[in-house]
Amino acid sequence: MIRAKVVKMSEDDLDREALSEAGEILRKGGLVAFPTETVYGLGGNGLDPSASEKIYEAKGRPSDNPLIIHIARMEDLPPIVKEIPEKARRLAEACWPGPLTMIFYKSDIVPLETTGGLDTVAVRFPSNKIAQEMILAGGGYVAAPSANTSGRPSPTEAKHVEEDLGDKIDMIIDGGSVDIGLESTIVDCTVDPPVILRPGYVNQDMLQQVISRVGIDPGLISEDENIRPKAPGMKYRHYAPKAKLILVDGADEKVAAYICGQVQKKQAAGEQVGVICSGETRAMYKEGQIRCIGRRQNEEEIAQHLYAVLRDFDEEDISLIYSETFNTPRIGSAIMNRLIKAAGHEIVEV
Ligand code: TXA
Ligand code: MG
C-alpha cells in the first residue's frame, strides 16, 4: 500500500523542489492532491487515459462522471477544445484565473476516459499559485475532481484529503485552508446563451455583467425526477454527511424555536443531535452539538466552513443534524445548492 508523501508550502513561499517532484509524478501517470482557491483537487495527467482511470478508482467515483481539466496559461486552452465561442472568450478574460469552469466541445487529444465518454470537456484555470505551478510542472493539463472519496464533502484542508485518500495516491501538497470552500461555478459554453450547470462563487450577476445573458440549468432547481441536471456529477447525492440532515427555513426566531423543540424531543429519546447555526443566531440555541458556521453578514465565512462542519459531524456519534438555511445575497445560491443536496432535499418550512 502506498502512503502519500505530504509536503507543506504556501503561495508566498513555493517549494520548487517539491513542485518539480509533483510534476514528475504527474508526467509518469501518478496522482497528486493539491490546493486550489475553491477546494482541494486530486490531480492526474488529463491527457493520459490511465491516469484518469486511476482517479476514478481512488475516489470510488462512477466513471461516467467527467473530470475538469485544469490549465495554468490561456494559450493552453485552444489545443484541447474544438472552438472557443466569443462569449466563452470574454468570460475567460474576465474570470480566469479564478473559480470558473467552462464546458467546450473537446478536441481529439482529450481522452474519453477524462470526459466520462462525453464529446465535451470542462476546463478551469485556477488562481491558486501552488496549483498553477504544479500544473505547469506536470505538463500543463491536470484532470482533477475534488480530492474526497466520492459522496463525502469536498476537502477544504489537506487533512481532509489525508483522511479520504492518504493511502491511495502518491503525494499531497498541503497549502493550508482554501479561500472559498465551495467548488467552482460551471458554465456550459456549448450553448447560447451559456448556462450555469453548478452555482459557485462566481454568480449569475457577475457572469451577466460580462455577457449580458446566462441561463440556469433547470435540472438544478427542479424537484421533478425527470428533469436531470446536465452536469453528470450534480445528479448524485453528493456532499452527504453520515447523519441525516434536515434544513429548517423561515424567520430566525421561528427556526430556532422549531430546532430547539426537535433537539429536546430527540435527545429525550436518546438520540445525539447536531445543530448548524449562524453567528447571529448562536445565542438562541442551548442544547445539542451546536456548530456556528459563520456570520450571515460575512457570507464568505459560511462557505469556507460548510464542508469542514459537515465532516466534523461525521466524526461524532450523531444521527441527526438540523441546519438553518443560508440564502445570503451573493453566494447563497451556491451554499444552498450544496446544503440542499446534502440534505437530500429535506426542508421544513416554519
Ligand atoms: O472547484 C472545482 O471545480 C474543483 C477543483 C478541484 O477545481 N473540482 C471539482 O471537480 O469540483 P468535481 O469532479 O468534483 O466536479 C466536476 C463537476 C461534476 O459535477 C461533473 O459532472 C461536471 O463537473 N462536469 C465535468 N465535465 C463535464 C462536462 N463535459 N459536461 C458537463 N458537466 C461536466
Ligand atoms: Mg466533487
Side-chain angles (χ1 to χ4, degrees), residues 88-290:
R89 196 186 53 72
R90 275 161 46 203
L91 287 176
E93 265 167 20
C95 302
W96 277 1
L100 174 70
T101 295
M102 285 187 279
I103 312 281
F104 300 89
Y105 284 106
K106 75 173 196 71
S107 74
D108 293 340
I109 64 166
V110 179
L112 289 168
E113 282 79 359
T114 300
T115 65
L118 299 176
D119 60 355
T120 55
V121 61
V123 187
R124 172 156 123 76
F125 180 169
S127 62
N128 182 290
K129 295 280 177 294
I130 300 171
Q132 290 179 358
E133 292 300 321
M134 186 207 73
I135 293 163
L136 294 176
Y141 297 104
V142 172
S146 49
N148 51 287
T149 299
S150 194
R152 294 208 73 201
S154 293
T156 53
E157 295 170 40
K159 72 165 195 242
H160 302 156
V161 182
E162 271 189 88
E163 281 165 19
D164 284 12
L165 303 172
D167 58 358
K168 298 191 174 70
I169 64 177
D170 302 294
M171 189 179 201
I172 297 172
I173 303 179
D174 179 350
S177 291
V178 298
D179 289 339
I180 296 176
L182 298 174
E183 306 82 351
S184 61
T185 306
I186 301 181
V187 176
D188 184 358
C189 292
T190 66
V191 291
D192 191 16
V195 167
I196 297 174
L197 304 187
R198 178 174 72 182
Y201 185 84
V202 178
N203 64 25
Q204 191 180 21
D205 282 349
M206 290 155 82
L207 296 165
Q208 293 192 145
Q209 275 168 27
V210 185
I211 54 167
S212 76
R213 247 180 85 212
V214 177
I216 296 183
D217 179 9
L220 277 186
I221 31 197
S222 175
E223 303 250 320
D224 183 342
E225 293 268 310
N226 297 314
I227 305 175
R228 285 300 192 92
K230 186 166 177 188
M234 299 302 279
K235 71 179 183 238
Y236 299 105
R237 183 176 174 241
H238 242 179
Y239 324 115
K242 285 182 191 150
K244 183 180 165 74
L245 172 66
I246 298 175
L247 308 181
V248 185
D249 185 52
D252 287 352
E253 288 74 20
K254 278 187 153 174
V255 168
Y258 176 85
I259 293 179
C260 291
Q262 290 299 108
V263 171
Q264 272 191 346
K265 244 201 298 198
K266 303 283 175 183
Q267 292 202 338
E271 267 189 86
Q272 293 290 326
V273 185
V275 176
I276 300 177
C277 67
S278 62
E280 288 85 350
T281 54
R282 173 66 185 83
M284 297 178 184
Y285 298 92
K286 303 277 183 278
E287 286 176 76
Q289 298 256 15
I290 306 163

Side-chain angles (χ1 to χ4, degrees), residues 149-154 160 163-164 237-246 271-274 276 306-322 339 341-344 346:
T149 299
S150 194
R152 294 208 73 201
S154 293
H160 302 156
E163 281 165 19
D164 284 12
R237 183 176 174 241
H238 242 179
Y239 324 115
K242 285 182 191 150
K244 183 180 165 74
L245 172 66
I246 298 175
E271 267 189 86
Q272 293 290 326
V273 185
I276 300 177
L306 177 63
Y307 288 140
V309 165
L310 292 177
R311 252 177 204 270
D312 260 13
F313 276 130
D314 283 351
E315 306 298 308
E316 317 257 340
D317 197 14
I318 278 181
S319 50
L320 187 58
I321 305 166
Y322 288 97
L339 264 178
K341 279 173 53 146
E346 187 135 2

